[in-house]
Amino acid sequence: MFNRLSRRHFASIAGWSALGISTKPAESSQTGASKENKLPDRSLAAGFPSGFLWGTAASAYQIEGAVNEDGRGPSIWDRYAHIPGKIADRSNADVANDSYHLYKDDVQLMKALGAKAYRFSIAWPRVFPEGTGTPNPKGLDFYNRLLDELLANGIEPFATMYHWDLPQTLQDRVGGWMSRDTATAFGEYAGYVAARLSDRVKHFFTINECSRLVDLGYGAEVDAPGLTLAQPALNQVRHHVALGHGLAVQAIRAHGRAGTKVGPAENIVICVPAIETPANIRAAEIATRELNAGYLTVMLEGKYTDAFLAYAGKDAPKYTAEDLAVISSPIDFVGLNVYMPHHYVVAADDAHGFALTPFPASFPHMESSWLKIGPEAMYWAPRHVAKLWDVKSIYITENGTSATDQPAADGHVDDVDRIMYLRNYLTQLQRATSEGVPVLGYFLWSLMDNFEWSDGFEKRFGLYRVDFKTQRRTPKLSASFYRETIARNAVV
């Protein structure tokens, strides 16, 4: 199971193959190509734009530990990680990186890199142990201390409201995201936090990776809460999560300080033209809009696409026009989590206008078998989003890779495979910014090794190696690479 569906391996679930989209090679004819898809200039600027924001990322459940301290309530991941057989190495995140106690040390790790921003998540069950009701002041106190420490060290905080750690009481009481009540509760929680932290946090992300939490948590039994719902119920969960995003946007607007900005952080289905012809580029744009219909498309257009509704048929979610208006509440930016291409696309002479080419068995991947190496995904993901929806501000909210990371005899980790991955992806990001794609910043996943969900501690994504017995953090060679990249504001 862990090899088939792990971490962000959701493409086959999220790809809407039942739309009838061909997965066979199609002719890459340029017939009907739009004039606006002229081939881009391949000359790169010397570096990234002035003021480009370099940061790192992590999430609460993966690093904080202290699951029973200072009034924190249990989350769905606390329960799920303790079910035998659910985590590959039989671990859990009860302690994880112990960042709840070591956060000052971790801020110094960021400072040593020269990072100017940190994307972290707020644990909903720390703030509202029951999901709703009486807030827990000690929970919010931790984030107050973290924010003060970040700002004292010249690091700008970017907060994610939800990175999958739903209060367990909401799952038990109303079925979690199966209920509209959870979307309502999420909006109330987001508004409460924004009112108290937006004096220092100027950017809030609503929900991290809607597609992952729905398809793997409620559809494939790979993530918490570990359910396998039938398609009608799963589509309703999908709608409630999108609705929760919209309610959070509205609550943050209503309760945050003037100038507070908000947007989603999504792992969109990334569609890359197999060959960069105008026809294939247009086909990849069409595919991007259709294959992200349940999340980013409805958020930015205020409607489900005709193809999405036709595919869902009688299983389509129940919703109102008011729901769609809430879901599409205006946002200030879009966050994109970019790891790999999900589909290579060619033009097709059918109703869809595109065909998805299959991945050959020999396609290269990183240490995690799901993580296919396709640096061009880093170019096309933000380019498509900017082009399709006229988005003016984009952040790469996650990008990185697992690696074997075996220490040498001297204790050093020479992770040249991670450097190779990052260098190639950042080169494609530099290509995008040089062409005017409005990417404002980049958050590397992750600052340090942590609890990687169903993979436990077996997969390491960090710039710093963590000995989880001693909690010692040791910089890998990739930390030096990233430090040099930040210092030069260019790929090194």
PDB file of all heavy atoms in Angstrom, residues 264-299:
ATOM      1  N   PRO A 264      -5.312  29.834  -1.007  1.00  0.00           N
ATOM      2  CA  PRO A 264      -5.151  28.394  -0.769  1.00  0.00           C
ATOM      3  C   PRO A 264      -3.711  27.951  -1.010  1.00  0.00           C
ATOM      4  O   PRO A 264      -2.897  28.695  -1.572  1.00  0.00           O
ATOM      5  CB  PRO A 264      -6.071  27.777  -1.819  1.00  0.00           C
ATOM      6  CG  PRO A 264      -5.951  28.736  -2.984  1.00  0.00           C
ATOM      7  CD  PRO A 264      -5.811  30.114  -2.376  1.00  0.00           C
ATOM      8  N   ALA A 265      -3.394  26.740  -0.598  1.00  0.00           N
ATOM      9  CA  ALA A 265      -2.120  26.085  -0.936  1.00  0.00           C
ATOM     10  C   ALA A 265      -2.479  24.716  -1.482  1.00  0.00           C
ATOM     11  O   ALA A 265      -2.800  23.798  -0.720  1.00  0.00           O
ATOM     12  CB  ALA A 265      -1.207  25.966   0.281  1.00  0.00           C
ATOM     13  N   GLU A 266      -2.467  24.574  -2.808  1.00  0.00           N
ATOM     14  CA  GLU A 266      -3.011  23.370  -3.432  1.00  0.00           C
ATOM     15  C   GLU A 266      -1.952  22.609  -4.221  1.00  0.00           C
ATOM     16  O   GLU A 266      -1.055  23.202  -4.823  1.00  0.00           O
ATOM     17  CB  GLU A 266      -4.168  23.760  -4.364  1.00  0.00           C
ATOM     18  CG  GLU A 266      -4.964  22.588  -4.889  1.00  0.00           C
ATOM     19  CD  GLU A 266      -5.490  21.696  -3.770  1.00  0.00           C
ATOM     20  OE1 GLU A 266      -6.373  22.113  -3.013  1.00  0.00           O
ATOM     21  OE2 GLU A 266      -4.971  20.565  -3.655  1.00  0.00           O
ATOM     22  N   ASN A 267      -2.060  21.288  -4.181  1.00  0.00           N
ATOM     23  CA  ASN A 267      -1.230  20.440  -5.050  1.00  0.00           C
ATOM     24  C   ASN A 267      -2.048  20.123  -6.292  1.00  0.00           C
ATOM     25  O   ASN A 267      -2.633  19.059  -6.428  1.00  0.00           O
ATOM     26  CB  ASN A 267      -0.789  19.159  -4.332  1.00  0.00           C
ATOM     27  CG  ASN A 267      -1.963  18.357  -3.784  1.00  0.00           C
ATOM     28  OD1 ASN A 267      -3.063  18.870  -3.598  1.00  0.00           O
ATOM     29  ND2 ASN A 267      -1.738  17.088  -3.529  1.00  0.00           N
ATOM     30  N   ILE A 268      -2.080  21.075  -7.193  1.00  0.00           N
ATOM     31  CA  ILE A 268      -2.898  20.897  -8.383  1.00  0.00           C
ATOM     32  C   ILE A 268      -2.372  19.738  -9.225  1.00  0.00           C
ATOM     33  O   ILE A 268      -1.198  19.364  -9.136  1.00  0.00           O
ATOM     34  CB  ILE A 268      -2.956  22.178  -9.236  1.00  0.00           C
ATOM     35  CG1 ILE A 268      -1.588  22.505  -9.855  1.00  0.00           C
ATOM     36  CG2 ILE A 268      -3.482  23.348  -8.431  1.00  0.00           C
ATOM     37  CD1 ILE A 268      -1.645  23.570 -10.930  1.00  0.00           C
ATOM     38  N   VAL A 269      -3.259  19.163 -10.024  1.00  0.00           N
ATOM     39  CA  VAL A 269      -2.842  18.183 -11.017  1.00  0.00           C
ATOM     40  C   VAL A 269      -2.080  18.956 -12.095  1.00  0.00           C
ATOM     41  O   VAL A 269      -2.650  19.799 -12.790  1.00  0.00           O
ATOM     42  CB  VAL A 269      -4.057  17.452 -11.615  1.00  0.00           C
ATOM     43  CG1 VAL A 269      -3.603  16.474 -12.702  1.00  0.00           C
ATOM     44  CG2 VAL A 269      -4.825  16.720 -10.520  1.00  0.00           C
ATOM     45  N   ILE A 270      -0.783  18.692 -12.203  1.00  0.00           N
ATOM     46  CA  ILE A 270       0.086  19.465 -13.086  1.00  0.00           C
ATOM     47  C   ILE A 270       0.162  18.789 -14.446  1.00  0.00           C
ATOM     48  O   ILE A 270       0.571  17.631 -14.565  1.00  0.00           O
ATOM     49  CB  ILE A 270       1.490  19.613 -12.482  1.00  0.00           C
ATOM     50  CG1 ILE A 270       1.399  20.332 -11.124  1.00  0.00           C
ATOM     51  CG2 ILE A 270       2.412  20.379 -13.433  1.00  0.00           C
ATOM     52  CD1 ILE A 270       2.708  20.376 -10.365  1.00  0.00           C
ATOM     53  N   CYS A 271      -0.229  19.529 -15.466  1.00  0.00           N
ATOM     54  CA  CYS A 271      -0.293  19.010 -16.830  1.00  0.00           C
ATOM     55  C   CYS A 271       0.769  19.699 -17.678  1.00  0.00           C
ATOM     56  O   CYS A 271       0.738  20.919 -17.847  1.00  0.00           O
ATOM     57  CB  CYS A 271      -1.679  19.240 -17.419  1.00  0.00           C
ATOM     58  SG  CYS A 271      -3.001  18.424 -16.478  1.00  0.00           S
ATOM     59  N   VAL A 272       1.688  18.920 -18.216  1.00  0.00           N
ATOM     60  CA  VAL A 272       2.831  19.430 -18.959  1.00  0.00           C
ATOM     61  C   VAL A 272       2.672  19.051 -20.431  1.00  0.00           C
ATOM     62  O   VAL A 272       2.384  17.884 -20.740  1.00  0.00           O
ATOM     63  CB  VAL A 272       4.142  18.845 -18.405  1.00  0.00           C
ATOM     64  CG1 VAL A 272       5.334  19.229 -19.267  1.00  0.00           C
ATOM     65  CG2 VAL A 272       4.353  19.302 -16.960  1.00  0.00           C
ATOM     66  N   PRO A 273       2.835  19.993 -21.350  1.00  0.00           N
ATOM     67  CA  PRO A 273       2.815  19.599 -22.764  1.00  0.00           C
ATOM     68  C   PRO A 273       3.973  18.658 -23.072  1.00  0.00           C
ATOM     69  O   PRO A 273       5.125  18.965 -22.749  1.00  0.00           O
ATOM     70  CB  PRO A 273       2.949  20.931 -23.507  1.00  0.00           C
ATOM     71  CG  PRO A 273       3.557  21.870 -22.525  1.00  0.00           C
ATOM     72  CD  PRO A 273       3.082  21.436 -21.178  1.00  0.00           C
ATOM     73  N   ALA A 274       3.662  17.504 -23.650  1.00  0.00           N
ATOM     74  CA  ALA A 274       4.708  16.512 -23.910  1.00  0.00           C
ATOM     75  C   ALA A 274       5.780  17.068 -24.840  1.00  0.00           C
ATOM     76  O   ALA A 274       6.971  16.787 -24.679  1.00  0.00           O
ATOM     77  CB  ALA A 274       4.089  15.246 -24.497  1.00  0.00           C
ATOM     78  N   ILE A 275       5.349  17.840 -25.826  1.00  0.00           N
ATOM     79  CA  ILE A 275       6.245  18.566 -26.722  1.00  0.00           C
ATOM     80  C   ILE A 275       5.704  19.982 -26.780  1.00  0.00           C
ATOM     81  O   ILE A 275       4.499  20.187 -26.908  1.00  0.00           O
ATOM     82  CB  ILE A 275       6.281  17.948 -28.133  1.00  0.00           C
ATOM     83  CG1 ILE A 275       6.672  16.475 -28.049  1.00  0.00           C
ATOM     84  CG2 ILE A 275       7.235  18.713 -29.047  1.00  0.00           C
ATOM     85  CD1 ILE A 275       6.497  15.724 -29.362  1.00  0.00           C
ATOM     86  N   GLU A 276       6.566  20.973 -26.696  1.00  0.00           N
ATOM     87  CA  GLU A 276       6.092  22.344 -26.572  1.00  0.00           C
ATOM     88  C   GLU A 276       5.704  22.938 -27.922  1.00  0.00           C
ATOM     89  O   GLU A 276       6.364  23.835 -28.448  1.00  0.00           O
ATOM     90  CB  GLU A 276       7.136  23.196 -25.851  1.00  0.00           C
ATOM     91  CG  GLU A 276       7.287  22.808 -24.391  1.00  0.00           C
ATOM     92  CD  GLU A 276       8.229  23.722 -23.632  1.00  0.00           C
ATOM     93  OE1 GLU A 276       8.540  24.826 -24.130  1.00  0.00           O
ATOM     94  OE2 GLU A 276       8.674  23.337 -22.537  1.00  0.00           O
ATOM     95  N   THR A 277       4.617  22.442 -28.472  1.00  0.00           N
ATOM     96  CA  THR A 277       3.995  23.056 -29.635  1.00  0.00           C
ATOM     97  C   THR A 277       2.815  23.886 -29.144  1.00  0.00           C
ATOM     98  O   THR A 277       2.263  23.616 -28.063  1.00  0.00           O
ATOM     99  CB  THR A 277       3.487  21.997 -30.614  1.00  0.00           C
ATOM    100  OG1 THR A 277       2.415  21.266 -29.993  1.00  0.00           O
ATOM    101  CG2 THR A 277       4.598  21.024 -31.017  1.00  0.00           C
ATOM    102  N   PRO A 278       2.400  24.886 -29.900  1.00  0.00           N
ATOM    103  CA  PRO A 278       1.228  25.668 -29.477  1.00  0.00           C
ATOM    104  C   PRO A 278      -0.004  24.814 -29.209  1.00  0.00           C
ATOM    105  O   PRO A 278      -0.743  25.074 -28.261  1.00  0.00           O
ATOM    106  CB  PRO A 278       1.023  26.635 -30.637  1.00  0.00           C
ATOM    107  CG  PRO A 278       2.402  26.834 -31.200  1.00  0.00           C
ATOM    108  CD  PRO A 278       3.058  25.478 -31.092  1.00  0.00           C
ATOM    109  N   ALA A 279      -0.230  23.787 -30.044  1.00  0.00           N
ATOM    110  CA  ALA A 279      -1.405  22.945 -29.849  1.00  0.00           C
ATOM    111  C   ALA A 279      -1.315  22.157 -28.552  1.00  0.00           C
ATOM    112  O   ALA A 279      -2.298  22.029 -27.815  1.00  0.00           O
ATOM    113  CB  ALA A 279      -1.572  21.994 -31.031  1.00  0.00           C
ATOM    114  N   ASN A 280      -0.153  21.626 -28.258  1.00  0.00           N
ATOM    115  CA  ASN A 280       0.002  20.857 -27.027  1.00  0.00           C
ATOM    116  C   ASN A 280      -0.058  21.748 -25.793  1.00  0.00           C
ATOM    117  O   ASN A 280      -0.549  21.338 -24.739  1.00  0.00           O
ATOM    118  CB  ASN A 280       1.319  20.088 -27.049  1.00  0.00           C
ATOM    119  CG  ASN A 280       1.300  18.915 -28.002  1.00  0.00           C
ATOM    120  OD1 ASN A 280       0.241  18.470 -28.437  1.00  0.00           O
ATOM    121  ND2 ASN A 280       2.474  18.415 -28.343  1.00  0.00           N
ATOM    122  N   ILE A 281       0.472  22.966 -25.907  1.00  0.00           N
ATOM    123  CA  ILE A 281       0.397  23.899 -24.786  1.00  0.00           C
ATOM    124  C   ILE A 281      -1.058  24.214 -24.469  1.00  0.00           C
ATOM    125  O   ILE A 281      -1.485  24.206 -23.311  1.00  0.00           O
ATOM    126  CB  ILE A 281       1.194  25.177 -25.088  1.00  0.00           C
ATOM    127  CG1 ILE A 281       2.698  24.875 -25.152  1.00  0.00           C
ATOM    128  CG2 ILE A 281       0.924  26.252 -24.019  1.00  0.00           C
ATOM    129  CD1 ILE A 281       3.553  26.028 -25.657  1.00  0.00           C
ATOM    130  N   ARG A 282      -1.843  24.464 -25.507  1.00  0.00           N
ATOM    131  CA  ARG A 282      -3.260  24.738 -25.292  1.00  0.00           C
ATOM    132  C   ARG A 282      -3.965  23.521 -24.713  1.00  0.00           C
ATOM    133  O   ARG A 282      -4.818  23.649 -23.814  1.00  0.00           O
ATOM    134  CB  ARG A 282      -3.925  25.151 -26.616  1.00  0.00           C
ATOM    135  CG  ARG A 282      -5.415  25.458 -26.494  1.00  0.00           C
ATOM    136  CD  ARG A 282      -5.677  26.520 -25.453  1.00  0.00           C
ATOM    137  NE  ARG A 282      -7.112  26.722 -25.223  1.00  0.00           N
ATOM    138  CZ  ARG A 282      -7.613  27.154 -24.087  1.00  0.00           C
ATOM    139  NH1 ARG A 282      -6.811  27.449 -23.052  1.00  0.00           N
ATOM    140  NH2 ARG A 282      -8.909  27.315 -23.954  1.00  0.00           N
ATOM    141  N   ALA A 283      -3.611  22.342 -25.171  1.00  0.00           N
ATOM    142  CA  ALA A 283      -4.208  21.118 -24.630  1.00  0.00           C
ATOM    143  C   ALA A 283      -3.889  20.968 -23.143  1.00  0.00           C
ATOM    144  O   ALA A 283      -4.741  20.565 -22.348  1.00  0.00           O
ATOM    145  CB  ALA A 283      -3.698  19.907 -25.408  1.00  0.00           C
ATOM    146  N   ALA A 284      -2.663  21.290 -22.751  1.00  0.00           N
ATOM    147  CA  ALA A 284      -2.265  21.198 -21.343  1.00  0.00           C
ATOM    148  C   ALA A 284      -3.030  22.210 -20.496  1.00  0.00           C
ATOM    149  O   ALA A 284      -3.362  21.939 -19.333  1.00  0.00           O
ATOM    150  CB  ALA A 284      -0.762  21.406 -21.206  1.00  0.00           C
ATOM    151  N   GLU A 285      -3.328  23.371 -21.055  1.00  0.00           N
ATOM    152  CA  GLU A 285      -4.128  24.361 -20.337  1.00  0.00           C
ATOM    153  C   GLU A 285      -5.551  23.847 -20.115  1.00  0.00           C
ATOM    154  O   GLU A 285      -6.108  23.969 -19.012  1.00  0.00           O
ATOM    155  CB  GLU A 285      -4.154  25.675 -21.120  1.00  0.00           C
ATOM    156  CG  GLU A 285      -2.822  26.398 -21.158  1.00  0.00           C
ATOM    157  CD  GLU A 285      -2.811  27.557 -22.145  1.00  0.00           C
ATOM    158  OE1 GLU A 285      -3.795  27.736 -22.887  1.00  0.00           O
ATOM    159  OE2 GLU A 285      -1.794  28.288 -22.162  1.00  0.00           O
ATOM    160  N   ILE A 286      -6.142  23.275 -21.155  1.00  0.00           N
ATOM    161  CA  ILE A 286      -7.490  22.723 -21.024  1.00  0.00           C
ATOM    162  C   ILE A 286      -7.508  21.618 -19.968  1.00  0.00           C
ATOM    163  O   ILE A 286      -8.400  21.557 -19.110  1.00  0.00           O
ATOM    164  CB  ILE A 286      -7.990  22.177 -22.373  1.00  0.00           C
ATOM    165  CG1 ILE A 286      -8.109  23.312 -23.402  1.00  0.00           C
ATOM    166  CG2 ILE A 286      -9.326  21.462 -22.213  1.00  0.00           C
ATOM    167  CD1 ILE A 286      -8.326  22.810 -24.826  1.00  0.00           C
ATOM    168  N   ALA A 287      -6.507  20.748 -20.025  1.00  0.00           N
ATOM    169  CA  ALA A 287      -6.424  19.648 -19.062  1.00  0.00           C
ATOM    170  C   ALA A 287      -6.278  20.174 -17.637  1.00  0.00           C
ATOM    171  O   ALA A 287      -6.892  19.646 -16.699  1.00  0.00           O
ATOM    172  CB  ALA A 287      -5.254  18.738 -19.417  1.00  0.00           C
ATOM    173  N   THR A 288      -5.480  21.220 -17.464  1.00  0.00           N
ATOM    174  CA  THR A 288      -5.293  21.796 -16.134  1.00  0.00           C
ATOM    175  C   THR A 288      -6.612  22.298 -15.568  1.00  0.00           C
ATOM    176  O   THR A 288      -6.936  22.055 -14.399  1.00  0.00           O
ATOM    177  CB  THR A 288      -4.267  22.946 -16.198  1.00  0.00           C
ATOM    178  OG1 THR A 288      -2.997  22.429 -16.602  1.00  0.00           O
ATOM    179  CG2 THR A 288      -4.129  23.637 -14.850  1.00  0.00           C
ATOM    180  N   ARG A 289      -7.380  22.980 -16.387  1.00  0.00           N
ATOM    181  CA  ARG A 289      -8.671  23.486 -15.909  1.00  0.00           C
ATOM    182  C   ARG A 289      -9.615  22.342 -15.549  1.00  0.00           C
ATOM    183  O   ARG A 289     -10.263  22.358 -14.488  1.00  0.00           O
ATOM    184  CB  ARG A 289      -9.314  24.366 -16.978  1.00  0.00           C
ATOM    185  CG  ARG A 289     -10.671  24.917 -16.575  1.00  0.00           C
ATOM    186  CD  ARG A 289     -11.235  25.888 -17.590  1.00  0.00           C
ATOM    187  NE  ARG A 289     -12.536  26.380 -17.165  1.00  0.00           N
ATOM    188  CZ  ARG A 289     -13.707  25.839 -17.503  1.00  0.00           C
ATOM    189  NH1 ARG A 289     -13.743  24.770 -18.311  1.00  0.00           N
ATOM    190  NH2 ARG A 289     -14.848  26.345 -17.043  1.00  0.00           N
ATOM    191  N   GLU A 290      -9.691  21.326 -16.378  1.00  0.00           N
ATOM    192  CA  GLU A 290     -10.647  20.248 -16.146  1.00  0.00           C
ATOM    193  C   GLU A 290     -10.221  19.316 -15.016  1.00  0.00           C
ATOM    194  O   GLU A 290     -11.056  18.873 -14.217  1.00  0.00           O
ATOM    195  CB  GLU A 290     -10.859  19.442 -17.427  1.00  0.00           C
ATOM    196  CG  GLU A 290     -11.581  20.208 -18.523  1.00  0.00           C
ATOM    197  CD  GLU A 290     -13.008  20.586 -18.151  1.00  0.00           C
ATOM    198  OE1 GLU A 290     -13.542  20.072 -17.145  1.00  0.00           O
ATOM    199  OE2 GLU A 290     -13.612  21.401 -18.877  1.00  0.00           O
ATOM    200  N   LEU A 291      -8.953  19.002 -14.926  1.00  0.00           N
ATOM    201  CA  LEU A 291      -8.507  18.020 -13.932  1.00  0.00           C
ATOM    202  C   LEU A 291      -8.369  18.619 -12.537  1.00  0.00           C
ATOM    203  O   LEU A 291      -8.115  17.902 -11.575  1.00  0.00           O
ATOM    204  CB  LEU A 291      -7.193  17.384 -14.377  1.00  0.00           C
ATOM    205  CG  LEU A 291      -7.251  16.642 -15.718  1.00  0.00           C
ATOM    206  CD1 LEU A 291      -5.933  15.914 -15.976  1.00  0.00           C
ATOM    207  CD2 LEU A 291      -8.414  15.660 -15.769  1.00  0.00           C
ATOM    208  N   ASN A 292      -8.543  19.940 -12.434  1.00  0.00           N
ATOM    209  CA  ASN A 292      -8.566  20.593 -11.122  1.00  0.00           C
ATOM    210  C   ASN A 292      -9.937  21.194 -10.831  1.00  0.00           C
ATOM    211  O   ASN A 292     -10.063  22.109 -10.021  1.00  0.00           O
ATOM    212  CB  ASN A 292      -7.477  21.667 -11.068  1.00  0.00           C
ATOM    213  CG  ASN A 292      -6.087  21.072 -11.075  1.00  0.00           C
ATOM    214  OD1 ASN A 292      -5.633  20.505 -10.086  1.00  0.00           O
ATOM    215  ND2 ASN A 292      -5.410  21.168 -12.215  1.00  0.00           N
ATOM    216  N   ALA A 293     -10.952  20.627 -11.466  1.00  0.00           N
ATOM    217  CA  ALA A 293     -12.294  21.202 -11.389  1.00  0.00           C
ATOM    218  C   ALA A 293     -12.851  21.227  -9.973  1.00  0.00           C
ATOM    219  O   ALA A 293     -13.616  22.128  -9.620  1.00  0.00           O
ATOM    220  CB  ALA A 293     -13.241  20.424 -12.304  1.00  0.00           C
ATOM    221  N   GLY A 294     -12.492  20.238  -9.140  1.00  0.00           N
ATOM    222  CA  GLY A 294     -13.079  20.137  -7.809  1.00  0.00           C
ATOM    223  C   GLY A 294     -12.508  21.091  -6.788  1.00  0.00           C
ATOM    224  O   GLY A 294     -13.073  21.233  -5.698  1.00  0.00           O
ATOM    225  N   TYR A 295     -11.417  21.776  -7.126  1.00  0.00           N
ATOM    226  CA  TYR A 295     -10.764  22.646  -6.154  1.00  0.00           C
ATOM    227  C   TYR A 295     -10.411  24.000  -6.756  1.00  0.00           C
ATOM    228  O   TYR A 295     -11.197  24.936  -6.705  1.00  0.00           O
ATOM    229  CB  TYR A 295      -9.528  21.963  -5.561  1.00  0.00           C
ATOM    230  CG  TYR A 295      -9.867  20.633  -4.952  1.00  0.00           C
ATOM    231  CD1 TYR A 295      -9.553  19.442  -5.590  1.00  0.00           C
ATOM    232  CD2 TYR A 295     -10.573  20.568  -3.756  1.00  0.00           C
ATOM    233  CE1 TYR A 295      -9.914  18.218  -5.052  1.00  0.00           C
ATOM    234  CE2 TYR A 295     -10.942  19.353  -3.197  1.00  0.00           C
ATOM    235  CZ  TYR A 295     -10.603  18.181  -3.846  1.00  0.00           C
ATOM    236  OH  TYR A 295     -10.972  16.983  -3.322  1.00  0.00           O
ATOM    237  N   LEU A 296      -9.247  24.100  -7.346  1.00  0.00           N
ATOM    238  CA  LEU A 296      -8.785  25.417  -7.773  1.00  0.00           C
ATOM    239  C   LEU A 296      -9.707  26.041  -8.822  1.00  0.00           C
ATOM    240  O   LEU A 296      -9.963  27.251  -8.798  1.00  0.00           O
ATOM    241  CB  LEU A 296      -7.351  25.325  -8.306  1.00  0.00           C
ATOM    242  CG  LEU A 296      -6.581  26.648  -8.322  1.00  0.00           C
ATOM    243  CD1 LEU A 296      -6.516  27.265  -6.940  1.00  0.00           C
ATOM    244  CD2 LEU A 296      -5.177  26.448  -8.874  1.00  0.00           C
ATOM    245  N   THR A 297     -10.219  25.234  -9.745  1.00  0.00           N
ATOM    246  CA  THR A 297     -11.087  25.793 -10.778  1.00  0.00           C
ATOM    247  C   THR A 297     -12.354  26.395 -10.176  1.00  0.00           C
ATOM    248  O   THR A 297     -12.739  27.523 -10.504  1.00  0.00           O
ATOM    249  CB  THR A 297     -11.450  24.733 -11.826  1.00  0.00           C
ATOM    250  OG1 THR A 297     -10.250  24.171 -12.365  1.00  0.00           O
ATOM    251  CG2 THR A 297     -12.254  25.337 -12.962  1.00  0.00           C
ATOM    252  N   VAL A 298     -13.003  25.681  -9.293  1.00  0.00           N
ATOM    253  CA  VAL A 298     -14.236  26.213  -8.700  1.00  0.00           C
ATOM    254  C   VAL A 298     -13.918  27.389  -7.779  1.00  0.00           C
ATOM    255  O   VAL A 298     -14.711  28.341  -7.681  1.00  0.00           O
ATOM    256  CB  VAL A 298     -15.028  25.105  -7.967  1.00  0.00           C
ATOM    257  CG1 VAL A 298     -14.320  24.637  -6.703  1.00  0.00           C
ATOM    258  CG2 VAL A 298     -16.440  25.589  -7.647  1.00  0.00           C
ATOM    259  N   MET A 299     -12.766  27.377  -7.118  1.00  0.00           N
ATOM    260  CA  MET A 299     -12.391  28.508  -6.273  1.00  0.00           C
ATOM    261  C   MET A 299     -12.209  29.778  -7.091  1.00  0.00           C
ATOM    262  O   MET A 299     -12.561  30.875  -6.654  1.00  0.00           O
ATOM    263  CB  MET A 299     -11.094  28.193  -5.522  1.00  0.00           C
ATOM    264  CG  MET A 299     -11.198  27.147  -4.444  1.00  0.00           C
ATOM    265  SD  MET A 299      -9.555  26.785  -3.750  1.00  0.00           S
ATOM    266  CE  MET A 299      -9.946  25.392  -2.683  1.00  0.00           C
TER     267      MET A 299
END
